[in-house]
Amino acid sequence: FKQGVDLVGGIDVAVSCQLRDWRLKSPELNPNNEDNWEMFTLKPGIHEMDGDMALWYARSRLTTSDFDRGRRQQQLLRAALATGIDLDLIPQIPELWGTYQETVKTNMDIGRMLQMAALAPEIDKNGIQHLYLVGDDLQPYSVPESGAQVQLPVCENMQDTLRRLFLPPALNQATRPPITVEVVNGSGDPDLALLAVDNLAWYGFEPVISDEQVDEQRQTTIEYYAQNMKGSFDWLLSWIMDKSKSSIELVPDVDYPYDYRIVIGKGYDPCRPQLFAPQIFLGS
């Protein structure tokens, strides 16, 4: 894992929720010596992670949960995809595969890999669903032989989540025009606007950071430019931004270049409970 991340020069990860957990002071130290560990805090922001940091971010669970760890691992996979697209790594796949064969076992040949890799830019553009089995989808269970605490699926409750595996994302650009969002930073913190953009893109909106300079403001404001709210996905955008739907101002200006305009305030908190996000179905 570390070698793969380092091979592409590291990955940029949008850390929206602070993570605090034990970490080796340096990767070469003996992990069996407790003096080599320290409590490490990763604050919200855009972090360039090398292989060691990415592995810690993927494995950490002492202060959170297995469910949150799964969310972070999806983040890392998405960041790796974005890095591969940005660096145009598709032509380098044969060379990369020569390295990965030392640590990866698969029955997929290089030809099929190249075919799938060529689809990556379009997959990223048309939206990726992030699905989780949480809450009533699962029930706790103790394994009699070992006493291990695990989760068992509740089949009748998880049908909606499984059905979404076979549907395109609701905001898939192959089925509807993108919903564009202009993000103006009124918080004074450059990373807050970047984290807002990442959250919006995670759920399928098409955000753009504006160069407009505005005075700092406490609260985040949202405007929607259309004659009505039909097809606005206001219920989803309001959840992402942790605002009520009623706080979205409808502006009847159909010539505005974006569908939404969001001015990020100093009070904006990018940490959202993604595991319990609203259910998104095609045609919602």
Side-chain angles (χ1 to χ4, degrees), residues 12-29:
D12 290 331
V13 181
V15 177
S16 54
C17 300
Q18 177 174 294
L19 181 62
R20 181 173 171 81
D21 204 346
W22 291 98
R23 184 185 178 203
L24 275 175
K25 296 176 182 178
S26 185
E28 73 276 0
L29 295 176

Side-chain angles (χ1 to χ4, degrees), residues 15 33 68 83 104 117 123 133 169 183-184 188 192-193 218 231 238 246 254 269 274:
V15 177
N33 185 342
D68 186 69
T83 299
V104 176
I123 291 173
L133 293 175
V183 178
V184 182
L192 279 186
R218 176 63 187 171
S238 61
S246 60
V254 294
D269 183 357
Q274 292 180 342

Side-chain angles (χ1 to χ4, degrees), residues 239-279:
W239 180 87
I240 296 170
M241 301 307 300
D242 197 18
K243 303 287 288 186
S244 66
K245 284 202 304 181
S246 60
S247 69
I248 300 177
E249 181 183 355
L250 180 63
V251 181
D253 182 356
V254 294
D255 293 326
Y256 199 74
Y258 301 97
D259 298 303
Y260 279 98
R261 182 177 188 269
I262 298 177
V263 181
I264 302 296
K266 296 173 66 175
Y268 170 63
D269 183 357
C271 186
R272 301 296 293 134
Q274 292 180 342
L275 297 178
F276 299 96
Q279 298 292 302

